[in-house]
């Protein structure tokens, strides 16, 4: 990092949010494909007819039937972009901005040096910062997943049509109140905590390995790229089952339950979703859309973490220029 005082939590939050906003523009088409593959054949035995063969088939059919607008569902035209990018700032700003303060404080609590790199405290800090980000961004992630699942041409799973992000938020709030906006928050926390528990620790451990053995210099873009590539693979492997559960819990239809409140018709919670998926579709059901997930998470992780380091270095040079 550039010289000068360490970033404050607020500075880290903003830098991380900007980096993630750049990444989501590139990775969104793959996330649309991932979402639709995860919903295809939901709770159905093997042998059922498939709408999509694989990730590339989803992208090809989506572009053919829905154009660029379909490929970028969840981002939409300029008037709708504020909510998805706000989600990236809330989620990844929290994960990247809170990670280092959490890790340092946890180290201090157990009597270790704040700057010491420990795998255990890194994983715990990653999971905790991920849980914070997931909680803050849940309503926006909910509507993004539903908008990505919607296809007027080749629908899979339950279909929720919203004109734009703000229409989605108001529709859900009118129908279910605040409860509707926090639907699936347990699945979001599980998914993001699992991903965050390995993303930043694997990134930092890989970077430290490359630098400490003089394989690559500390502030090289190649160091950031190599470290984030390894991190992307780790995240995809660990997070995929929880990501599938999140998509399905978010997208499931709802009915009025015995208490008069809207409840999901398919799943009670993410664990129930994983159990029913494994029981009906086998463990392979947890990894539906894993290729699309990798195509989404690899560039997203690489761009987010590389851009985050580059943005931090640039920001610190500008900030500390007159010091």
């Amino acid at each position: 990092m550039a010289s000068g005082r360490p970033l404050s939590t607020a500075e880290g939050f903003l830098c991380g949010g900007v980096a993630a906003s750049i990444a989501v523009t590139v990775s969104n088409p793959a996330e649309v494909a991932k979402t639709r593959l995860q919903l295809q054949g939901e709770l159905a035995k093997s042998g059922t007819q498939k709408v999509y063969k694989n990730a590339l088939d989803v992208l090809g059919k989506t572009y053919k039937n829905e154009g660029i607008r379909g490929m970028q569902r969840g981002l939409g035209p300029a008037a709708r972009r504020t909510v998805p990018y706000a989600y990236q700032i809330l989620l990844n700003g929290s994960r990247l901005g809170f990670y280092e303060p959490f890790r340092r404080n946890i180290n201090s609590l157990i009597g270790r040096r704040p700057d010491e790199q420990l795998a255990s405290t890194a994983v715990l800090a990653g999971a905790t910062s991920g849980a914070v980000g997931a909680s803050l961004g849940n309503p926006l992630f909910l509507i993004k997943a539903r908008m990505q699942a919607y296809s007027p041409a080749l629908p899979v799973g339950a279909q929720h049509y919203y004109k734009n992000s703000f229409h989605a938020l108001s529709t859900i709030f009118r129908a279910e109140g605040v409860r509707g906006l926090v639907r699936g928050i347990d699945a979001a926390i599980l998914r993001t905590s699992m991903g965050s528990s390995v993303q930043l620790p694997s990134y930092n451990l890989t970077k430290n390995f490359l630098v400490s053995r003089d394989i690559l210099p500390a502030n090289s873009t190649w160091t950031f790229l190599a470290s984030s590539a390894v991190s992307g693979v780790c995240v995809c492997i660990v997070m995929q089952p929880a990501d599938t559960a999140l998509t399905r819990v978010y997208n499931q239809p709802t009915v009025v339950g015995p208490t008069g409140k809207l409840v999901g018709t398919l799943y009670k919670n993410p664990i129930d979703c994983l159990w029913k998926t494994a029981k009906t579709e086998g463990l392979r059901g947890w990894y539906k859309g894993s290729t699309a997930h990798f195509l989404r998470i690899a560039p997203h992780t690489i761009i987010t973490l590389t851009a985050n380091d580059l943005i931090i270095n640039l920001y610190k040079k500008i900030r500390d220029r007159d010091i």
Side-chain angles (χ1 to χ4, degrees), residues 140-182:
L140 307 182
F141 200 176
L142 167 67
I143 64 172
K144 181 170 72 74
R146 290 183 176 182
M147 293 174 77
Q148 289 174 334
Y150 175 74
S151 172
L154 297 170
V156 290
Q159 296 288 284
H160 303 269
Y161 172 69
Y162 304 118
K163 296 177 182 178
N164 52 56
S165 301
F166 298 107
H167 177 243
L169 289 170
S170 62
T171 299
I172 295 170
F173 183 76
R174 284 198 305 268
E176 305 178 56
V178 175
R179 182 185 177 90
L181 295 176
V182 298

Side-chain angles (χ1 to χ4, degrees), residues 193-307:
S193 294
M194 291 182 70
S196 295
S197 69
V198 298
Q199 185 184 49
L200 288 169
S202 62
Y203 176 79
N204 286 327
L205 289 172
T206 303
K207 188 165 68 171
N208 288 337
F209 175 86
L210 294 173
V211 173
S212 64
R213 285 163 176 76
D214 294 323
I215 299 172
L216 289 170
N219 288 324
S220 167
T221 302
W222 291 109
T223 305
F224 304 151
L225 287 171
S227 302
S228 54
V230 172
S231 177
V233 173
C234 295
V235 171
C236 188
I237 293 171
V238 172
M239 195 169 70
Q240 174 66 26
D243 190 75
T244 298
L246 175 65
T247 298
R248 293 186 170 190
V249 168
Y250 271 166
N251 199 64
Q252 68 176 325
T254 56
V255 296
V256 179
T259 62
K261 298 178 180 178
L262 289 176
V263 295
T265 60
L266 301 178
Y267 315 109
K268 298 175 184 177
N269 51 55
I271 304 302
D272 182 51
C273 176
L274 290 172
W275 167 250
K276 288 179 178 176
T277 298
K279 185 178 178 181
T280 307
E281 305 168 53
L283 292 179
R284 290 182 64 182
W286 289 2
Y287 287 88
K288 279 187 175 179
S290 56
T291 301
H293 192 191
F294 180 75
L295 291 175
R296 178 257 171 192
I297 201 69
H300 188 88
T301 301
I302 290 170
I303 295 171
T304 299
L305 296 183
T306 302

Side-chain angles (χ1 to χ4, degrees), residues 21-93:
S21 295
I22 296 170
V24 72
T25 308
V26 176
S27 65
N28 194 67
E31 187 164 18
V32 171
K34 170 190 72 71
T35 298
R36 295 182 179 183
L37 286 170
Q38 287 173 332
L39 294 171
Q40 179 170 253
E42 187 173 13
L43 298 186
K45 296 289 186 180
S46 59
T48 56
Q49 187 174 3
K50 294 182 178 180
V51 176
Y52 304 109
K53 297 176 183 178
N54 50 51
L56 293 179
D57 189 47
V58 180
L59 294 172
K61 288 178 176 176
T62 300
Y63 180 75
K64 181 180 178 180
N65 291 284
E66 304 171 51
I68 294 295
R69 182 175 181 178
M71 300 277 284
Q72 289 288 14
R73 251 181 225 287
L75 288 185
R80 306 177 194 173
R81 283 182 184 159
T82 53
V83 170
Y85 286 120
Y87 161 72
Q88 288 297 323
I89 292 171
L90 286 172
L91 175 66
N92 290 293

